[in-house]
Amino acid sequence: TADSLTVNGDAEVTGTVNPSGDTASGDAAAVGFTSAEGLILTGQGSTSDITLKNDADAVVFSVPTGTDDILFPDGAKVIFGAGSDFSINHDASDGNLLTLAANPLEIHQAGTNSALQIYRDTGDGTLLQFFAGGSGLTERGSILTDTNLIALNANKDFKIRVNNGEAAADFLADGAAKLYFDASEKLATTSTGINV
């Protein structure tokens, strides 16, 4: 029941070690437990506060000193699914999202006021491209940007729908541009002018 125990060399324990108190800021290397947080690991190093290594003494991941980040080495993967169906990694040059060929990669957003945004931070160039599936990949459309332009491109027709599918505008390949009011066509271009 001593307040502290110092062991020189390895300490072998038969059974379990059950911490019963929290760790504290500044602990060099401590294991703790609270009923709310569960198992707690706290460390303090010049580069990392916590480092997890495998049996080859290679870093699996670390927590950089003083941060709440998790840092993975180049090439290390975060893998999901019993069959390693999906993984995220960085290979020293590119960031990769990888899913098995038989499974689609789906990106969902939830909430009536939420937005899914994908940015390109390097300036001009392609933001997004959309492809059809099948044996040959066919571009369905793209969103392009340069310094003064945002262009929406469709492989064939480009249509705008509102209110769960209600027609608002149609831009038809080699054909008319149509505008609707409450799903009723009101204006369309023709080869010689417009129809109202």
Side-chain angles (χ1 to χ4, degrees):
T1 59
D3 291 336
S4 64
L5 174 66
T6 300
V7 178
N8 293 317
D10 296 335
E12 296 184 9
V13 177
T14 301
T16 59
V17 176
N18 296 300
S20 59
D22 201 352
T23 63
S25 175
D27 285 344
V31 179
F33 170 83
T34 68
S35 59
E37 295 177 301
L39 178 67
I40 303 166
L41 298 176
T42 299
Q44 186 180 53
S46 61
T47 302
S48 302
D49 285 339
I50 298 172
T51 302
L52 179 69
K53 292 186 175 184
N54 60 21
D55 65 353
D57 198 35
V59 173
V60 176
F61 68 81
S62 62
V63 177
T65 301
T67 73
D68 55 7
D69 302 328
I70 296 178
L71 176 63
F72 291 87
D74 285 335
K77 294 180 180 180
V78 180
I79 301 174
F80 301 88
S84 300
D85 304 291
F86 177 69
S87 65
I88 303 172
N89 84 304
H90 187 272
D91 60 11
S93 59
D94 301 305
N96 304 292
L97 300 177
L98 178 64
T99 186
L100 295 182
N103 301 319
L105 175 63
E106 300 179 1
I107 300 175
H108 298 268
Q109 58 126 346
T112 55
N113 295 318
S114 63
L116 174 64
Q117 297 173 309
I118 300 176
Y119 296 95
R120 181 176 178 183
D121 227 7
T122 55
D124 302 342
T126 300
L127 281 175
L128 295 174
Q129 286 183 303
F130 307 96
F131 292 90
S135 57
L137 290 178
T138 302
E139 184 177 344
R140 291 290 194 183
S142 63
I143 300 176
L144 305 173
T145 181
D146 64 23
T147 305
N148 302 304
L149 171 71
I150 295 177
L152 305 178
N153 299 311
N155 183 262
K156 190 177 180 184
D157 300 337
F158 180 72
K159 300 182 179 182
I160 298 175
R161 298 291 181 264
V162 297
N163 195 29
N164 295 319
E166 181 180 302
D170 291 342
F171 303 92
L172 307 180
D174 301 321
K178 302 179 179 182
L179 297 179
Y180 297 80
F181 178 82
D182 195 20
S184 178
E185 182 181 324
K186 298 301 179 182
L187 185 147
T189 62
T190 70
S191 60
T192 58
I194 62 170
N195 285 334
V196 178

